Amino acid sequence: MFIELIILALTVLLVWDYLFKMHRNDLLNKYKIPGPPLVPLLGNALEVGKWKTDEIIAKTFENRMKYGKIMRFWVLHQLTVIVSDIKYLEFILSSQQLIKKSSFYDFLVCWLGRGLLLSTGRKWHARRKIITPTFHFKILEEFVEIFDQQSGVMVKKLKEQADGKTAINIFPVVCLTALDIIAETAMGVKVHAQDNPDIEYVRAVASVAATMAKRFMTPTWRLDWLFRLTAPNEYKKMMQETAVMHKFTNAVIMERRAALEQKQTSSADEPEVDDVGSKKRMALLDVLLQATHDGTPLSNDDIREEVDTFMFEGHDTTTSGISFCLYLISRHPDVQQKLVEEINDVIGTDKTRAITLHDLQELKYLESVIKESLRLYPPVPVIGRETTEDTQLGDIVIPAKTNISIPFFMVLRDPEHFPEPDAFKPERFVVDSGNKMNPFSYAPFSAGPRNCIGQKYAVYEMKSTISKILRNFEILPAEPDVKPIINLILRSATGVHIKLKPRSD
Ligand code: HEM
């Protein structure tokens, strides 16, 4: 009797599984979207579950060789289509409808709320409209001074290890610099992460960012309730640290709102400097405080979502970008020599001269080096969307309730668009090289309506910090080689090591 019951239950489950997936499988078959062989109920869960974090990049390339630039994976009832064909990427990224993020991002909500990165539909449209002017050129111009000052702090710290022999893992060093920069530009406060990484707020941001990276890689940690059940201590710690961050952000918002209101009601002229004599400048947060949607200002909670989103999106990504770029420069002395010549031409040899926005715009070869580095090591290696209805992409239809995954790390090394795809060749991006590039084949900041809103900010920050290091040090190669892994952003399992030697000239 017991055996019969099990057989019955299994049969019901198999029929349900077949029916539940039928429409999606019909479309996959109709449009010949291939994928690895399926196991009933489980789909490809056994195979995908075996992939270790440091194998995912290689496995995805392997599967592209087998199945091509569009392929499907079923994990239980969840269908994912991986797209690296730019013919289809163009449809996906430029669509005004296909803007819902895949459910893989949901574990970030407890920190970021439904801010710009995670919102969708009308809320996203409204926020994008409000936030776009926040990154106006005039505002970015003021940030250059912060980029310069904070990279000055970094250089001072690095001098202690710059003996030309010590291998320095540059990733954590850059991370603290990037945190100082984003806190000061987004919230207008100095958090002194480089001087004191143990400050409660700094520790909380670094720790929650690390937990989020781990949640991304650990399927049982992704859903809040399952994370709480399977790792109660880590869950509790994450919630406590999130509360620390929210309390800090809230306090800054209230303080700056009060200051703004006082300024608006006060008849006296405001001094142009703060109480320690530094020039007052707008932070991203101040622009949000003054913004309105249909005549209504944003609430403190609305603003907190956005400031937390900037704090998250605006430091790990640039850390990854700067670190891998320094690594590539360390291994290409000819490129380094050209960079130093350009820097000497544009900024001069006086190491104390502060960099300006004009200088940054003139560092054209550095821009090509950064672009090529973002191609080889894209800080955001993969993004995901979710279809809410059957969606036509040119000559195919992707079924509703499908995660679309776009592996930038693979698109950006597609030999069809980048000959010698693994070679570091900044000249691909030299403006007058005559190379015509399809914007969808090169999109480390994504493309279309949901592209990176902080793209210009990020490139200026990268140019400021990298040029500051080059003005002060010769960058030398160190062991071990990097081993890129997708850990929410692109990191290296072996760290990102370089050696530094003070420049005498
Ligand atoms: C090298 C550094 C960076 C890279 C490579 C990068 C890349 C990206 C990519 C690929 C996306 C699309 C994400 C998706 O569709 O899921 C994105 C979105 C976003 N980025 Fe960046 N980013 C960088 C730096 C920054 C910085 C510095 C900020 C803010 C200060 C920022 C703020 C955002 C925001 C708010 C979004 C969401 C935009 C929206 O959905 O409308 N990013 N970024």
Side-chain angles (χ1 to χ4, degrees), residues 101 105 116 124 128 313-314 317 380 383 444-445 450 452 457:
K101 293 292 170 77
Y105 292 65
L116 194 60
W124 172 78
R128 181 87 191 192
E313 268 289 316
T317 48
V380 178
I383 64 166
F445 291 99
R450 281 214 91 151
C452 176
Y457 173 119

Side-chain angles (χ1 to χ4, degrees), residues 65 133 189 212 284 287 460 465:
M65 295 294 287
V189 291
M212 291 304 175
L284 299 175
V287 188
Y460 288 145
T465 45

Side-chain angles (χ1 to χ4, degrees), residues 93 101 105 116-119 124 128 131 135 182 185-186 284 306 309-311 313-315 317-322 374 378-380 382-385 408 443-447 449-455 457-459 461-462:
L93 296 176
K101 293 292 170 77
Y105 292 65
L116 194 60
L117 181 71
L118 304 178
S119 54
W124 172 78
R128 181 87 191 192
I131 296 171
F135 288 88
I182 192 65
T185 51
L284 299 175
E306 301 308 343
T309 299
F310 294 155
M311 287 301 300
E313 268 289 316
H315 90 279
T317 48
T318 48
T319 298
S320 171
I322 294 165
L374 293 175
V380 178
V382 51
I383 64 166
R385 298 284 163 84
F408 285 136
F445 291 99
S446 190
R450 281 214 91 151
N451 72 349
C452 176
I453 203 164
Q455 174 167 349
Y457 173 119
V459 173
E461 179 184 338
M462 290 183 72

Side-chain angles (χ1 to χ4, degrees), residues 301-425:
D301 282 346
D302 294 339
I303 293 179
R304 202 202 68 212
E305 288 180 335
E306 301 308 343
V307 173
D308 287 339
T309 299
F310 294 155
M311 287 301 300
F312 164 70
E313 268 289 316
H315 90 279
D316 256 3
T317 48
T318 48
T319 298
S320 171
I322 294 165
S323 304
F324 280 105
C325 189
L326 291 171
Y327 171 82
L328 285 166
I329 295 171
S330 78
R331 288 172 178 236
H332 294 86
D334 49 330
V335 170
Q336 182 161 183
Q337 183 53 34
K338 275 177 86 171
L339 284 171
V340 172
E341 281 163 20
E342 180 180 74
I343 289 170
N344 287 345
D345 278 354
V346 173
I347 312 174
T349 50
D350 175 3
K351 292 193 191 103
T352 59
R353 165 149 123 49
I355 205 162
T356 63
L357 183 67
H358 182 255
D359 297 333
L360 293 179
Q361 286 163 340
E362 288 303 303
L363 293 172
K364 307 258 195 261
Y365 183 63
L366 177 55
E367 184 147 335
S368 310
V369 171
I370 289 172
K371 282 186 172 160
E372 177 69 342
S373 169
L374 293 175
R375 184 185 73 78
L376 286 173
Y377 298 111
V380 178
V382 51
I383 64 166
R385 298 284 163 84
E386 189 179 301
T387 51
T388 49
E389 56 192 1
D390 291 353
T391 304
Q392 184 94 36
L393 300 182
D395 53 3
I396 59 168
V397 175
I398 300 287
K401 297 201 205 86
T402 302
N403 279 325
I404 298 180
S405 174
I406 303 175
F408 285 136
F409 64 90
M410 197 152 83
V411 180
L412 291 165
R413 289 191 187 219
D414 186 338
E416 215 181 295
H417 302 287
F418 302 99
E420 291 183 74
D422 299 332
F424 176 60
K425 294 171 101 181

